[in-house]
Amino acid sequence: MSEIQIHTIPILPFGMVNAFLLTFAGGAVLVDTGLPGSETKIEKGLAKVGLCLADLKLIVVTHGHIDHAGSAKRLQKLSGAPIVLHEGDLPYCRGQAPILKPSGFFGRLFKLSGAIERPFAKVEPDILLSGDQTLDLTAYGVQGVIMPTPGHTPGSLSLLLDDGAVLAGDLAASGILLGGIALKGRPKPPPFEEDPLQVARSLKFLLSKGAKRFYLGHGGPLDAGVIERYAGKLAQAA
């Protein structure tokens, strides 16, 4: 199996919102789809590495918020690639408003904007994980596994690759405000977090499985030592 490369697709500039491509010889796996209308940015990201939408083997939606699932339906149709989602976030992807528990002052302001509660095209996954079910990615060209890591939302997913890289969605963020922009080496909660204690447990679980470098939906990436200290502080605060 060929070496995996991780490419960041900037949905918003300065690392404020990230999607990711895992590329290998002859194909790619897309991790998160960005806000509605992000399909052009995904296409450009693929083109930069000599690929196109038809080369997508799998689309992973780490959770059901608009900035991660907003273009999933459109990309599913354009690429023909199957979508994988956890049942815990299926209601959000079918139009139910997310539970928004602000993690701080910016989250409270952001909630007032209503931006994250805007409707987006409903997503029907081709692969629906349940409970603690995992998905081996070998069949899709990637040496790694998708595993449930709840906390940010009930159905949050992370991808742990065999080399220790982990694409962790919104289990953590870094930077300022939404994330990114500046101070990207400093971890923090994303604007909303449903269960901070469960987030800490999920981060520690990933670390116990050999996670070494965390790629995040907002800001990042962060090394394991930084995440370990952050998870400890998060657990104590919770």
Side-chain angles (χ1 to χ4, degrees), residues 36-91:
S38 296
E39 55 269 16
T40 300
K41 294 176 181 178
I42 303 298
E43 285 187 277
K44 288 180 179 178
L46 283 161
K48 285 182 179 179
V49 292
L51 299 172
C52 65
L53 287 174
D55 295 312
L56 285 180
K57 307 302 181 185
L58 185 69
I59 299 170
V60 183
V61 175
T62 63
H63 61 285
H65 288 167
I66 189 172
D67 53 335
H68 295 259
S71 291
K73 180 66 175 180
R74 181 67 176 156
L75 286 164
Q76 183 185 41
K77 182 177 182 180
L78 289 172
S79 69
I83 286 178
V84 58
L85 178 72
H86 191 278
E87 64 177 0
D89 275 29
L90 186 58

Side-chain angles (χ1 to χ4, degrees), residues 14 16 56 74 99 138-139 141 143 195 197 204 217 224 232:
F14 309 115
M16 287 188 287
L56 285 180
R74 181 67 176 156
I99 296 172
T138 304
Q143 293 175 304
D195 188 341
L197 182 57
K204 291 178 179 179

Side-chain angles (χ1 to χ4, degrees), residues 39-230:
E39 55 269 16
T40 300
K41 294 176 181 178
I42 303 298
E43 285 187 277
K44 288 180 179 178
L46 283 161
K48 285 182 179 179
V49 292
L51 299 172
C52 65
L53 287 174
D55 295 312
L56 285 180
K57 307 302 181 185
L58 185 69
I59 299 170
V60 183
V61 175
T62 63
H63 61 285
H65 288 167
I66 189 172
D67 53 335
H68 295 259
S71 291
K73 180 66 175 180
R74 181 67 176 156
L75 286 164
Q76 183 185 41
K77 182 177 182 180
L78 289 172
S79 69
I83 286 178
V84 58
L85 178 72
H86 191 278
E87 64 177 0
D89 275 29
L90 186 58
Y92 296 165
C93 287
R94 285 178 170 172
Q96 178 179 306
I99 296 172
L100 300 180
K101 295 183 178 180
S103 60
F105 178 72
F106 177 74
R108 291 192 289 273
L109 286 179
F110 195 25
K111 184 176 181 180
L112 291 174
S113 75
I116 199 169
E117 296 174 285
R118 288 188 295 120
F120 57 91
K122 296 178 182 178
V123 182
E124 289 297 330
D126 303 279
I127 303 167
L128 186 64
L129 302 182
S130 61
D132 294 331
Q133 184 181 2
T134 63
L135 180 66
D136 187 339
L137 290 168
T138 304
Y140 303 97
V142 174
Q143 293 175 304
V145 62
I146 299 175
M147 55 184 63
T149 50
H152 177 65
T153 62
S156 288
L157 295 172
S158 295
L159 287 76
L160 179 60
L161 307 186
D162 284 3
D163 65 1
V166 57
L167 295 98
D170 281 5
L171 279 184
S174 73
I176 62 175
L177 302 176
L178 180 63
I181 304 176
L183 305 176
K184 289 188 283 186
R186 182 183 298 175
K188 65 170 208 165
F192 309 104
E193 200 150 70
E194 293 193 30
D195 188 341
L197 182 57
Q198 185 60 62
V199 167
R201 290 170 177 161
S202 289
L203 289 171
K204 291 178 179 179
F205 172 73
L206 288 167
L207 291 165
S208 75
K209 294 295 184 180
K212 297 177 181 176
R213 189 160 175 81
F214 288 70
Y215 292 83
L216 309 173
H218 308 282
L222 297 174
D223 290 334
V226 175
I227 289 291
E228 185 173 16
R229 291 190 293 273
Y230 170 71

